[in-house]
Amino acid sequence: MPLSVTEAIVLHAFDYLESSRIIRLLTRNAGVQSVLARGARKSRGRYGSALDLFAEGTAQIYTKTGRELQNLSSFEVTRSRDELAHDIGRFTAASAVAELALRFAGEEENTLLYDTVSDVLDRIARSTPPQTIEQGLAGCWRIVSVLGFTPELSSCSLCHTPLRESDDAIFAHASGGIVCTACSRVARGGRRLPASARGLIREWLEDGVSAPLSEPESRSHQRLLREFLAAHLTDDRPLRAFAVWEHERWSAA
Ligand SMILES: [Zn+2]
């Protein structure tokens, strides 16, 4: 079996049999990979805390083409991101980012996606409790743009009529962005998107983060993002981490 060495981020982990764990990694060289870490469960075994969620490091993987589960040979951690585990707001935001990457990234090499996910997790790790939701939203929209399905926010996504920035618009998830009044009658679904909220999403897509959102604003933005992602999935499995992030309100105090 060939051995590949790649930078990787732990996005999901669960126990397997008596002593092992199955880890889902976002790798720099081969997208999302599921690996078996033998002996990782027993008293943390030979991996120590290296395979904790959101840790990043160098993975050595024995790969066999056509197999779903590869064998992890070693994982040398360079960034543990403990901060994400110590605050529930950071943890739920980072979990949504991980779910987004796991559900949309394939097995192809995508270094920009890898670097963006790594940077987004770092920013959430550094954010104060009141900032975590906005950092998570901004990060998810940046990842959406790297994945190549940036929403249309300037013109009608169906007839391409430019829409005024100062106007509220209808955001139709399945159409891929905002729609004009005429098209909103034929577009399926859709939510009213105030001009200010549209401006914020545009700012996030361009890597900006402004003042913290009010609670109703963050809820609306989380719901819009989740619905937009769901409309782009090819299966019906719910976005569980997004639902937890959205519905659980954690006191920052
Ligand atoms: Zn239109």
Side-chain angles (χ1 to χ4, degrees), residues 24-211:
R24 298 197 73 201
L25 296 170
L26 177 66
T27 69
R28 180 183 277 280
N29 300 359
V32 172
Q33 295 288 327
S34 295
V35 298
L36 178 66
R38 289 179 203 278
R41 191 174 167 194
K42 262 190 183 150
S43 65
R44 319 221 58 161
R46 58 190 174 124
Y47 296 99
S49 59
L51 292 173
D52 283 349
L53 268 185
F54 315 121
E56 181 166 358
T58 307
Q60 294 196 321
I61 304 170
Y62 285 108
T63 51
K64 210 173 180 183
T65 37
R67 238 185 25 189
E68 299 252 318
L69 189 62
Q70 311 295 346
N71 275 308
L72 184 67
S73 159
S74 71
F75 190 85
E76 203 158 309
V77 72
T78 50
R79 256 182 280 185
S80 65
R81 297 198 177 93
D82 290 338
E83 309 91 327
L84 293 174
H86 296 152
D87 175 85
I88 197 75
R90 289 187 199 133
F91 184 81
T92 48
S95 299
V97 168
E99 184 169 59
L100 169 56
L102 286 171
R103 295 293 291 278
F104 287 92
E107 293 182 5
E108 317 75 50
E109 173 174 329
N110 187 338
T111 51
L112 181 58
L113 176 66
Y114 182 88
D115 291 338
T116 306
V117 169
S118 174
D119 181 56
V120 167
L121 290 175
D122 281 342
R123 290 187 194 199
I124 296 171
R126 285 196 302 265
S127 63
T128 61
Q131 295 173 323
T132 58
I133 292 181
E134 187 162 17
Q135 283 291 354
L137 288 165
C140 286
W141 283 116
R142 273 174 68 206
I143 294 168
V144 163
S145 102
V146 170
L147 286 166
F149 59 105
T150 308
E152 173 57 61
L153 295 172
S154 304
S155 311
C156 171
S157 52
L158 293 176
C159 72
H160 311 297
T161 305
L163 298 179
R164 283 198 310 194
E165 299 220 352
S166 52
D167 288 349
D168 293 356
I170 300 292
F171 188 93
H173 304 93
S175 307
I178 56 169
V179 288
C180 70
T181 314
C183 290
S184 71
R185 294 189 196 107
V186 293
R188 272 186 305 123
R191 285 194 183 277
R192 206 177 133 272
L193 184 67
S196 58
R198 174 150 59 113
L200 260 184
I201 296 174
R202 192 179 278 140
E203 199 179 316
W204 291 334
L205 284 163
E206 285 160 12
D207 198 10
V209 175
S210 54

